[in-house]
Amino acid sequence: MDIVIKLFYVFLGLFIVLNWGMLMSATMSKIVARVAGRYGIPFYQPWINLLKLYTLRDSITHGVMFYLGPIFRMSGGVGIFLFMPMIFGSAYFSNFSFAGDLVLILYFQFFGMLGMALGASEGGHPYSTIGVSRGLSQFTTIELPMTLAVISLAIQYNTLSITDIVAAQQGGLMHWTLFTNPVATIAAMLSLLGAFGHSPFNLVKAPNEIPIGPPTEYHSAFLGVLRTNAAILHVVEAVLFMNLFFGGAGSWIELIIKSFFIYFWSVFVGVVFPRFRIEQSVQWFLKIPLLFGVIAIIIYM
Amino acid sequence: MTNDNKNTDINKNHKKFLHEENKIRKVEAPDGSIITVDPLNDYFLTDRPQVREPKNKVVEKFLNWARAESLWVLGFGTGCGSIEIPPLVTPRFDAYRFGVQMRPTPRQSNVFIISGYLAVKTLKRVIRTYEQMQGPKYVLALGSCTINGGMYWDSYNTINRLDHFIPVDVYVAGCMPRPEALLAGFMKLKERIKAGRAEGANEYAEKFDWYKENQKKIINDWNMPDYNW
């Protein structure tokens, strides 16, 4: 019976995360529109888009991997959610977090991208392949500073459990990793810019350049699954950084406020800076963020 | 298929225009065996488009509302009217307010704006792109050139009536119509979709032979499959 109640709360959490993710993406589009001097989309637009995508009358396939691509991507996003403690101290909204969940979540971040690479290649469009190769090479360099920051945290708190890391940050603002380990926080927050894929690092989808990158051939329900996953993934990635560096969340309200500002950080940078080319992006991640990552390790050696 | 006999002559005429890579040829496999490749049958689906009837009235009304509020426009400019599209999505007219978004690929688009005159060469790309869009799909024809040819009506290289080649939902008259007129056209299209009258994809499937006949009359170098999935 316990597992049924647990599953109920997991699905409830997923439902909240999905809807918050869509509202958040709509809010961010509105912010970007206001920066450009436009009025922007209505806040309910993502739901309508999703409804329309799932109910298109036609959809064609390019093969088995074309089906599996979005599924892999989705399992990457939902996988991170399943092992992420959302609310600190809540038995139900801790999902299936366990002693080594941090390593598993780092793995899941890459899993979705690999699945998508296989699926997008099956579509056969040259722009998909270009987008995928860019995405994989960029994400490899993003992973370096991010992983170094995470290892620094693991040495600092002597644990690989996210719940323990959050627990160690309780007791006031000055206990947050942001203040106890600022170097690792800088390295991770710089790599977060790449993980969210906003403007300086949006060369994977690169609108107007390689039309839309990996999902060029994806349409109807396939695209619906990808968009659902994007909404979930944005929130859980923000929650991961919230848990690691900003003291976690004691309630859904706190989670919503903190994840909003973490996501806003990447949008804020995005509206200010224009797009990098792939070699600029890779070199950028291998310079300053990597340097901060290495320093964060050396401090705790 | 019933139309095969009718179209045989047309098809025969067009066989000679096949590109080199679309002709039947023999290819040597890595293991040394010889394989015959027929690109038009092997690489493309040969099925015709199917009519997809709306099923439940109440559900369909709700879905039509969603489709009308989320119009994804293909970024494809065919004539001088395409210069009116950038102001439409930038601050002055800001079509995003009305659920109109630009998409870069036909697979993800629902609305095809034919923005002005159509040269024969462009018509071929338009047909190809229109057929790659996923239904229900809508066509918004811009300018008098798409209605009767406009100032190009006696040109040797442009078509006159667009709805002989693909089904059109809304015409926006003018030469050129301003972005306000285009926005009004979008509103008209929304009304049409919500009323359940924007069934262009089904119309295309129903009158497929008629459309193909018209298209092949104009396009001499037909070197693509009959239906571009």
Side-chain angles (χ1 to χ4, degrees):
Chain A
M1 202 57 210
D2 272 358
I3 190 69
V4 177
I5 297 170
K6 181 92 183 167
L7 277 177
F8 170 76
Y9 277 99
V10 166
F11 280 115
L12 181 65
L14 194 62
F15 179 77
I16 297 173
V17 163
L18 171 65
N19 284 290
W20 167 233
M22 293 209 279
L23 182 62
M24 190 162 72
S25 73
T27 316
M28 293 303 168
S29 319
K30 255 188 131 56
I31 290 173
V32 174
R34 289 295 164 91
V35 172
R38 288 189 290 109
Y39 193 76
I41 58 171
F43 75 92
Y44 51 83
Q45 191 70 48
W47 283 275
I48 299 185
N49 286 347
L50 216 57
L51 181 65
K52 182 203 75 173
L53 283 173
Y54 278 121
T55 55
L56 277 189
R57 289 193 195 138
D58 293 338
S59 72
I60 60 154
T61 173
H62 293 278
V64 178
M65 274 321 293
F66 192 75
Y67 274 108
L68 290 180
I71 306 285
F72 280 6
R73 193 95 178 94
M74 186 80 168
S75 51
V78 176
I80 297 178
F81 170 80
L82 283 182
F83 295 104
M84 178 79 70
M86 304 299 284
I87 307 293
F88 176 69
S90 159
Y92 291 119
F93 290 117
S94 293
N95 295 340
F96 295 101
S97 57
F98 63 101
D101 48 7
L102 190 50
V103 179
L104 194 65
I105 283 173
L106 283 182
Y107 163 74
F108 263 123
Q109 280 189 325
F110 221 116
F111 178 78
M113 296 215 55
L114 289 174
M116 191 59 203
L118 293 170
S121 308
E122 180 112 355
H125 201 286
Y127 287 144
S128 304
T129 321
I130 294 174
V132 162
S133 69
R134 284 179 178 190
L136 288 179
S137 48
Q138 180 177 264
F139 206 77
T140 313
T141 50
I142 294 169
E143 284 276 280
L144 273 174
M146 195 190 283
T147 314
L148 287 177
V150 165
I151 292 172
S152 169
L153 253 62
I155 304 170
Q156 181 191 352
Y157 295 119
N158 206 13
T159 176
L160 278 172
S161 156
I162 294 177
T163 312
D164 289 353
I165 292 178
V166 178
Q169 296 176 63
Q170 299 305 307
L173 195 67
M174 295 313 286
H175 290 83
W176 289 7
T177 318
L178 174 66
F179 297 106
T180 57
N181 192 351
V183 185
T185 310
I186 292 171
M189 288 310 276
L190 290 179
S191 64
L192 171 138
L193 294 177
F196 277 137
H198 273 283
S199 186
F201 309 105
N202 64 349
L203 39 85
V204 178
K205 287 191 175 173
N208 309 336
E209 188 202 338
I210 46 167
I212 197 161
T216 302
E217 278 290 313
Y218 280 106
H219 54 269
S220 61
F222 299 115
L223 192 63
V225 171
L226 289 178
R227 290 213 152 199
T228 312
N229 174 60
I232 296 171
L233 199 62
H234 282 155
V235 176
V236 291
E237 291 254 354
V239 169
L240 173 66
F241 282 84
M242 178 192 83
N243 282 339
L244 293 183
F245 303 103
F246 300 100
S251 65
W252 280 105
I253 303 290
E254 198 182 343
L255 180 139
I256 283 171
I257 293 170
K258 282 183 177 173
S259 60
F260 179 86
F261 280 107
I262 293 170
Y263 189 64
F264 180 71
W265 155 244
S266 77
V267 175
F268 179 72
V269 175
V271 295
V272 178
F273 292 100
R275 187 186 302 148
F276 274 156
R277 290 202 305 271
I278 179 68
E279 69 270 22
Q280 290 171 325
S281 160
V282 166
Q283 281 173 14
W284 191 84
F285 280 114
L286 290 182
K287 282 176 187 165
I288 300 167
L290 187 61
L291 186 71
F292 276 109
V294 172
I295 293 173
I297 293 286
I298 291 172
I299 290 173
Y300 283 97
M301 279 288 258
Chain B
M1 272 175 239
T2 50
N3 69 312
D4 269 3
N5 298 330
K6 210 168 90 187
N7 280 346
T8 321
D9 296 342
I10 301 169
N11 286 334
K12 257 183 201 164
N13 284 340
H14 290 98
K15 278 274 159 33
K16 62 185 176 208
F17 289 108
L18 272 187
H19 277 177
E20 204 54 46
E21 70 261 22
N22 284 343
K23 283 181 180 160
I24 300 174
R25 59 181 185 269
K26 294 205 184 320
V27 180
E28 194 184 341
D31 62 350
S33 58
I34 303 292
I35 304 168
T36 312
V37 177
D38 181 8
L40 282 191
N41 285 322
D42 296 351
Y43 298 166
F44 301 98
L45 274 173
T46 47
D47 301 353
R48 293 156 60 95
Q50 302 294 321
V51 177
R52 299 193 193 278
E53 292 294 340
K55 290 194 180 75
N56 186 317
K57 256 188 185 174
V58 181
V59 176
E60 201 67 20
K61 208 170 166 60
F62 175 58
L63 294 184
N64 276 338
W65 168 79
R67 285 164 191 155
E69 293 302 324
S70 163
L71 295 173
W72 289 9
V73 181
L74 178 65
F76 186 136
T78 62
C80 38
S82 51
I83 203 71
E84 306 290 342
I85 312 286
L88 192 70
V89 292
T90 40
R92 187 157 174 195
F93 297 102
D94 189 21
Y96 287 98
R97 286 176 293 168
F98 307 110
V100 177
Q101 296 176 46
M102 303 302 286
R103 300 307 294 178
T105 149
R107 293 279 187 226
Q108 301 176 3
S109 319
N110 309 109
V111 183
F112 197 173
I113 300 181
I114 306 294
S115 50
Y117 66 85
L118 264 186
V120 174
K121 204 173 173 181
T122 322
L123 176 66
K124 197 163 142 189
R125 275 75 188 173
V126 164
I127 291 164
R128 222 178 158 162
T129 314
Y130 178 74
E131 289 175 351
Q132 283 180 356
M133 285 162 63
Q134 306 297 308
K137 48 195 171 186
Y138 320 107
V139 176
L140 212 151
L142 202 57
S144 48
C145 298
T146 50
I147 299 173
N148 60 2
M151 61 184 278
Y152 297 98
W153 77 272
D154 58 351
S155 164
Y156 62 94
N157 200 31
T158 59
I159 59 153
N160 284 354
R161 276 190 65 173
L162 177 63
D163 59 5
H164 281 179
F165 304 98
I166 50 175
V168 178
D169 287 293
V170 174
Y171 280 111
V172 181
C175 183
M176 283 307 298
R178 284 175 53 91
E180 291 99 324
L182 193 48
L183 277 181
F186 273 119
M187 295 305 135
K188 203 81 196 160
L189 180 63
K190 280 188 182 190
E191 279 172 25
R192 226 178 121 84
I193 296 171
K194 282 175 189 167
R197 288 188 291 126
E199 294 289 344
N202 283 343
E203 196 187 318
Y204 191 72
E206 270 167 22
K207 294 160 72 183
F208 187 63
D209 300 329
W210 184 75
Y211 280 116
K212 278 296 144 187
E213 206 181 325
N214 288 344
Q215 291 165 3
K216 285 183 177 176
K217 253 184 231 165
I218 296 286
I219 301 171
N220 287 322
D221 55 339
W222 187 277
N223 52 21
M224 52 186 183
D226 263 4
Y227 188 69
N228 298 281
W229 288 92

